[in-house]
Amino acid sequence: MMKIKPFKGVRPPKEYVEQVQSRPYDVLNSAEARAEAEGNEKSLYHIIKPEIDFPEGTDEHDPKVYEKAAQNFQMFQDKGWLVQDGKERYYIYAQTMNGKTQYGLVVCAYVDDYMTGKIKKHELTRRDKEEDRMKHVRVNNANIEPVFFAYPDNKDVDAIVAKYTKGTPEYDYTAELDGFRHTFWIIDDDADIQRITELFAAMPAMYIADGHHRSAAAALVGAEKAKQNPNHRGDEEYNFFMAVCFPANQLTIIDYNRVVKDLNGLSDEEFLKKLSDDFIVEKKGTEIFKPSRLHEFSLYLGGNWYSLVAKPGTYNDNDPIGVLDVTISSNLILDKILGIKDLRSDKRIDFVGGIRGLGELKKRVDSGEMKVALALYPVSMKQLIDIADTGNIMPPKTTWFEPKLRSGLVIHKLS
């Protein structure tokens, strides 16, 4: 049984939404945030990337930077750029990319469901990143940015969502930067709110799609507040954190590709020969080649694209982790041939989200910055759910979800 609840969202008035909204804090660096927020005092970057209000080079983890986030959050409310709803509600947040729309419910998820594993993970988190987000939640006493969940497909939930999305949205705009459309509705009928709560209560699990560090931080701060409160009851607002929940069948995972600086002392010919031990290697020429099925990889080296197909016996289709192409490529190419043991810490490797296209891989190799690029066939939602359900963890940099959730459309206060 999943526990969710409606909440009194803190939101921008319609006329300010496009100025307030922003990309998530972790998809851009400080310089990019500074440039995007230039001339816009209402940009949420002043709260989620508050180092932009200090001289360049200021450490984003300095206590005064976190304190500035809280000051700015309060200022946004004082100036009416963010206003709290008077009633607890659910919200619908739709994203449209390349003609395809996915409809998410904005809810408050239950901290205890995260702690007990009902909210399922598929990635490891790093303590330093958790601690950074925990500080941000603590100082603002709010979940400023949502996390991104998937839930098992449910026709009854779909029907309620469809009823509201036929109506006029509260927000409807196309982001200038990427051309994706963002639409937002309010669910304020008490019977519908109650029914959504009941429908989620019958679900066996929810799955973190994107935002493992934000989920961990939100849940840990909630648990921390419970311990600190001698009169803790269990229904306080800090027992919940904000998530946008999408039906699994609406979500698409795109490829997450690799570029490597060198061939570990091998010539191009020696590298390709070693690859042929475990892969059927076929030269494809200079035109971009994209893998079209599981266990097929695309390699770019020396101005040419190659198809690599893993040979039978080099992977185990019955092992939810072993069957993943990230596992096959990590074991048989990155580790075995190139000597890259730890994807999290090795400076010889970098990762490129598929949203940038395979042209980005070619560019980084042709520039001389990188020596070789490897493109992977994307993981499916079924694979992600199978891995989470079996308590397994995916290798680093396995999944890339697009479009990313915009921040600033709604915020959840912890009290």
Side-chain angles (χ1 to χ4, degrees), residues 381-392:
M381 275 303 297
K382 182 183 183 307
Q383 285 180 307
L384 183 151
I385 287 169
D386 286 348
I387 284 164
D389 280 344
T390 53
N392 282 295

Side-chain angles (χ1 to χ4, degrees), residues 83-145:
V83 179
Q84 186 163 28
D85 286 339
K87 176 185 169 182
E88 290 193 340
R89 295 157 154 176
Y90 289 124
Y91 306 88
I92 299 166
Y93 172 22
Q95 303 170 299
T96 304
M97 177 179 83
N98 302 332
K100 177 180 178 254
T101 303
Q102 56 194 34
Y103 296 90
L105 272 170
V106 192
V107 310
C108 269
Y110 188 38
V111 165
D112 203 49
D113 284 347
Y114 178 89
M115 295 302 192
T116 56
K118 288 181 192 170
I119 295 170
K120 295 180 183 282
K121 303 172 272 211
H122 66 264
E123 273 182 20
L124 293 173
T125 50
R126 279 175 36 188
R127 185 61 198 178
D128 59 332
K129 286 193 165 188
E130 282 181 17
E131 187 55 42
D132 164 56
R133 286 302 93 186
M134 287 174 76
K135 287 176 181 172
H136 197 266
V137 174
R138 282 189 202 111
V139 76
N140 289 294
N141 198 36
N143 311 129
I144 303 291
E145 299 183 89

Side-chain angles (χ1 to χ4, degrees), residues 92-93 100-105 148-155 157-159 161 200 203 206-207 209 244-252 381 385 401:
I92 299 166
Y93 172 22
K100 177 180 178 254
T101 303
Q102 56 194 34
Y103 296 90
L105 272 170
F148 185 163
F149 285 178
Y151 64 86
D153 309 333
N154 186 296
K155 287 180 180 172
V157 176
D158 291 347
V161 169
F200 272 79
M203 292 180 189
M206 287 197 288
Y207 301 86
V244 186
C245 308
F246 292 88
N249 65 358
Q250 291 185 12
L251 297 178
T252 304
M381 275 303 297
I385 287 169
F401 285 90

Side-chain angles (χ1 to χ4, degrees), residues 71-350:
Q71 290 168 7
N72 287 343
F73 181 35
Q74 187 58 53
M75 178 190 73
F76 273 47
Q77 293 170 83
D78 292 344
K79 293 199 169 187
W81 303 341
L82 290 171
V83 179
Q84 186 163 28
D85 286 339
K87 176 185 169 182
E88 290 193 340
R89 295 157 154 176
Y90 289 124
Y91 306 88
I92 299 166
Y93 172 22
Q95 303 170 299
T96 304
M97 177 179 83
N98 302 332
K100 177 180 178 254
T101 303
Q102 56 194 34
Y103 296 90
L105 272 170
V106 192
V107 310
C108 269
Y110 188 38
V111 165
D112 203 49
D113 284 347
Y114 178 89
M115 295 302 192
T116 56
K118 288 181 192 170
I119 295 170
K120 295 180 183 282
K121 303 172 272 211
H122 66 264
E123 273 182 20
L124 293 173
T125 50
R126 279 175 36 188
R127 185 61 198 178
D128 59 332
K129 286 193 165 188
E130 282 181 17
E131 187 55 42
D132 164 56
R133 286 302 93 186
M134 287 174 76
K135 287 176 181 172
H136 197 266
V137 174
R138 282 189 202 111
V139 76
N140 289 294
N141 198 36
N143 311 129
I144 303 291
E145 299 183 89
V147 294
F148 185 163
F149 285 178
Y151 64 86
D153 309 333
N154 186 296
K155 287 180 180 172
D156 292 329
V157 176
D158 291 347
I160 296 172
V161 169
K163 172 180 149 183
Y164 282 86
T165 56
K166 287 189 183 87
T168 305
E170 179 76 1
Y171 308 138
D172 186 1
Y173 69 94
T174 299
E176 277 183 30
L177 204 66
D178 52 28
F180 300 158
R181 184 180 177 191
H182 302 271
T183 324
F184 191 90
W185 295 264
I186 295 166
I187 297 176
D188 54 7
D189 179 84
D190 291 340
D192 290 332
I193 289 169
Q194 178 64 27
R195 184 64 182 140
I196 289 167
T197 306
E198 290 167 358
L199 289 167
F200 272 79
M203 292 180 189
M206 287 197 288
Y207 301 86
I208 302 173
D210 208 358
H212 280 75
H213 289 97
R214 265 167 286 171
S215 298
L220 288 167
V221 171
E224 193 177 81
K225 285 179 173 288
K227 277 185 189 162
Q228 291 166 354
N229 181 2
N231 302 311
H232 173 74
R233 299 182 312 274
D235 60 352
E236 296 90 350
E237 208 61 35
Y238 59 69
N239 294 288
F240 299 87
F241 62 100
M242 181 172 62
V244 186
C245 308
F246 292 88
N249 65 358
Q250 291 185 12
L251 297 178
T252 304
I253 304 173
I254 61 176
D255 41 314
Y256 208 164
N257 303 314
R258 284 87 170 101
V259 284
V260 182
K261 287 184 187 294
D262 61 70
L263 296 182
N264 201 25
L266 300 171
S267 67
D268 291 9
E269 294 73 23
E270 288 168 333
F271 176 61
L272 290 167
K273 186 169 186 307
K274 281 186 179 288
L275 283 172
S276 65
D277 291 346
D278 296 310
F279 299 88
I280 299 162
V281 181
E282 185 185 342
K283 191 172 180 178
K284 291 291 187 180
T286 56
E287 291 296 309
I288 286 175
F289 171 73
K290 192 175 177 72
S292 60
R293 65 188 191 275
L294 210 56
H295 308 332
E296 179 180 50
F297 303 83
S298 170
L299 184 87
Y300 185 67
L301 174 70
N304 282 296
W305 293 88
Y306 297 82
S307 161
L308 311 180
V309 178
K311 291 178 179 177
T314 58
Y315 53 86
N316 179 2
D317 271 331
N318 297 315
D319 173 357
I321 300 296
V323 73
L324 294 175
D325 284 346
V326 284
T327 305
I328 295 168
S329 59
S330 293
N331 292 345
L332 301 182
I333 303 174
L334 300 177
D335 183 351
K336 184 176 176 181
I337 302 176
L338 296 177
I340 293 169
K341 308 285 183 191
D342 186 347
L343 300 188
R344 280 190 175 80
S345 61
D346 199 305
K347 298 287 189 274
R348 295 166 56 216
I349 189 167
D350 198 10

